[in-house]
Amino acid sequence: MMLHGVTVAPCKLGGEVWDGVGQIEPSQIDLLGNLLRGRVPYVEIAKALAAPANEALDKPDVKGRAKIVGPIESAPVRLTGQSDSFTPQFQGPPTFENVAFDGTTRLAIELLDDDMVSDDPIGSFQLGPDEMLEAFRAGNVHQVRVDSQTNGQVLFTAISVLAD
C-alpha cells in the first residue's frame, strides 16, 4: 500500500486560517459542505481548492506520521508534504508492504501543520480493510474520504494498493 497525499480543508475547525490570524468567509465553509454532499465530491473539492479565489488563503505545511496498527505494528513512517498546499503529496511516497486485509490491520495517520512556534493539529484518522480493498479494486490512486474522522480538517487521503 502507498500513501500518496491528502486533501486538507481551507481552514481549521471553526473557520480560522491555517497560518496567520483571521477567518475564512462562512460562505466558503458552506460551499465546502455542499460539495462534500455532491455526486463526485473529491473532484468538486479539488476544483474549488484550486480556484484563483483561494490563492490568497494561508495554506498548511503538512507533516506527520503513519504506521500500520494491529496484531503486527510497523514503526512510524515520517510524512512530509509540500509547503503551503491544500493537496500535499508525500515525499517517497511512503510504502507499507505485506499489509493484511483480514480485518485486524489498519493504517493510522496523524497530521500536523508545521509552524515556527507551535504545530497545529490537522487530524488523525485510520484506514481499514474496507478502504484498502476499495483502493485495490480501483487499480490506481484512490481518494478515500476521511472528513468524518478529522472534524472536516482532512477531507480525503490518496492511497493505492497493489497485490504482492
Side-chain angles (χ1 to χ4, degrees), residues 67-146:
K67 69 177 184 173
I68 298 295
V69 295
I72 300 174
E73 294 197 8
S74 71
V77 173
R78 197 172 118 212
L79 304 174
T80 305
Q82 294 95 357
S83 296
D84 298 319
S85 177
F86 292 131
T87 56
Q89 300 298 301
F90 295 125
Q91 294 174 6
T95 302
F96 302 88
E97 296 185 6
N98 302 316
V99 177
F101 284 46
D102 62 2
T104 63
T105 304
R106 305 183 75 71
L107 178 63
I109 301 158
E110 179 182 328
L111 300 175
L112 301 167
D113 176 19
D114 189 12
D115 289 329
M116 278 188 176
V117 176
S118 144
D119 297 338
D120 296 317
I122 296 177
S124 297
F125 57 95
Q126 293 189 1
L127 303 178
D130 292 342
E131 293 86 5
M132 293 177 209
L133 183 58
E134 194 175 320
F136 176 74
R137 288 181 177 149
N140 55 18
V141 177
H142 180 67
Q143 299 291 334
V144 178
R145 190 170 168 180
V146 296

Side-chain angles (χ1 to χ4, degrees), residues 122-125 146-155:
I122 296 177
S124 297
F125 57 95
V146 296
D147 59 298
S148 65
Q149 295 183 59
T150 64
N151 291 317
Q153 292 190 148
V154 181
L155 306 175

